[in-house]
Amino acid sequence: MTVVLYVLSTFVAFATAAGLTPLIAHLAGRLNMLDMPGGRRQHPWPIPRPGGLAIALAFGLTIFLFWAIDRYMGRPFLIPEEVRTPRFALTALAAFLGMTVGFIDDTFDLRARWQFLGNAIVAFIVIAAGIHIDFVDDPLGSGLIQLAFPVAVAFTMFWIVGMNIALNFIDGLDGLAAGVAAIAALTLGGLALLPQVSEPFVAWMAFTLAGAVAGFLLFNFHPAKLFLGTTGVAFLGTMLAVLSIFGTAKVAAALLVLGVPIIDTFYVLVRRLVSGQPPFAPDRGHFHHRLLDVGLTHQQAVLLIYLMTAALGSLAFMTNGRGQVATFVGLAVLFGVAVMALAQRSAKAEELDPGLYREEADRF
């Protein structure tokens, strides 16, 4: 019965997102919520911005539909008893907060500091509601380390805000951030089904989220008909952060599978600070830009990062918490070497084909 729930919910979320996305694009056009070409924005025509709203609505409507059917039947009909949990309300709160903060930014095009403040407010409310990281995997052993409450609060705040920033930074090519988030959601869902984790509720949420993103990607992959927008970034970032917290200390696994955007964000921030630039000033130093610089096409760069994310997701299944942290550290070193090697070739690539370059979507 639980397998039926996962499959049916994923399919319904996919179909709902596929149906809603064109409607959201049309509505965004009518409301003039568009990314206009010009300056660093090199897309040839105005593109609707708050596409992530379709993901959030598809996810929410799917979960509500299953809940409503069970309420109508008066018994666990589609949602087995083992999937039911009081954390449902907390998940709904986190999803709503992420979607709302992102949609406000897409509506008013806020400056970076206000985006950061919005993410911090979301994290604060989520923590106040009772969602925080109480345990982390011991990097020197096979057990768990219990965090003191002040440390747990600070780490959770950092985790939620950092997840949003990392997804925002990688949202620079059509379909990139959404695809990486979908792979991460599938990984978290699969990990939640492992016997040592046994979190069927997390699996349900994660698979439904992945289905909604997949339906949206039909219209977001290059050439995109609409963008993910801050609505999508904030919703997905908040949901992935919260689901990884629920998943019984699976923060290390999420850290690994999202290693590409997280490590890329770290190196970009360090480089900007060392060079005296504002930490959130946009530039073309992201990993996906480096791939374009050396001659990869838009689709090739995105698919390569998909492949890297899927490979890291596979490693998350084959390693424990200690191994996941060690793999992440090793990846960080290799990633830094790769970025420096790619940077040496970027100037030559720019001379050969300036048309390779596309818009940097992060506005932090």
Side-chain angles (χ1 to χ4, degrees), residues 58-213:
F59 175 83
L61 289 172
T62 300
I63 300 301
F64 176 77
L65 174 64
F66 280 64
W67 174 84
I69 291 174
D70 272 30
R71 291 281 293 181
Y72 176 78
M73 297 298 294
R75 59 185 175 86
F77 179 68
L78 291 176
I79 309 173
E81 193 64 45
E82 62 267 24
V83 181
R84 296 166 180 268
T85 171
R87 293 179 298 185
F88 180 84
L90 296 177
T91 305
L93 172 65
F96 177 77
L97 289 172
M99 180 189 71
T100 302
V101 167
F103 188 74
I104 290 173
D105 177 64
D106 281 330
T107 302
F108 298 104
D109 199 20
L110 303 177
R111 294 176 62 88
R113 68 193 68 170
W114 299 114
Q115 294 181 45
F116 182 84
L117 178 61
N119 290 330
I121 291 174
V122 169
F124 176 80
I125 296 175
V126 167
I127 293 170
I131 303 174
H132 38 77
I133 302 170
D134 296 314
F135 299 91
V136 295
D137 292 295
D138 185 353
L140 302 178
S142 58
L144 299 175
I145 299 175
Q146 183 172 5
L147 301 179
F149 182 73
V151 177
V153 169
F155 186 38
T156 306
M157 178 75 71
F158 176 79
W159 180 246
I160 296 175
V161 174
M163 186 72 75
N164 279 281
I165 293 175
L167 277 183
N168 186 80
F169 271 25
I170 204 174
D171 187 27
L173 298 178
D174 297 345
L176 181 54
V180 167
I183 296 170
L186 286 173
T187 302
L188 290 176
L191 290 170
L193 296 179
L194 294 176
Q196 61 268 33
V197 179
S198 187
E199 289 278 1
F201 173 75
V202 173
W204 179 33
M205 295 291 105
F207 290 145
T208 305
L209 184 64
V213 177

Side-chain angles (χ1 to χ4, degrees), residues 112 169 268-283 364:
F169 271 25
V268 167
L269 291 177
V270 169
R271 177 177 50 76
R272 290 174 183 173
L273 291 172
V274 169
S275 62
Q277 299 175 351
F280 299 124
D283 59 24
F364 267 96

Side-chain angles (χ1 to χ4, degrees), residues 195-275:
Q196 61 268 33
V197 179
S198 187
E199 289 278 1
F201 173 75
V202 173
W204 179 33
M205 295 291 105
F207 290 145
T208 305
L209 184 64
V213 177
F216 169 78
L217 270 171
L218 295 176
F219 305 90
N220 181 240
F221 199 77
H222 185 69
K225 296 179 176 62
L226 77 169
F227 290 148
L228 186 64
T230 310
T231 305
V233 168
F235 172 74
L236 291 174
T238 302
M239 286 300 299
L240 290 174
V242 168
L243 291 177
S244 65
I245 295 172
F246 281 159
T248 313
K250 281 304 170 188
V251 171
L255 190 72
L256 180 58
V257 70
L258 290 166
V260 173
I262 291 173
I263 296 171
D264 178 58
T265 297
F266 171 76
Y267 280 115
V268 167
L269 291 177
V270 169
R271 177 177 50 76
R272 290 174 183 173
L273 291 172
V274 169
S275 62

Side-chain angles (χ1 to χ4, degrees), residues 2 12 47 62 68 97 138 306 357:
T2 307
V12 171
I47 295 181
T62 300
L97 289 172
D138 185 353
Y306 283 1
Y357 300 107

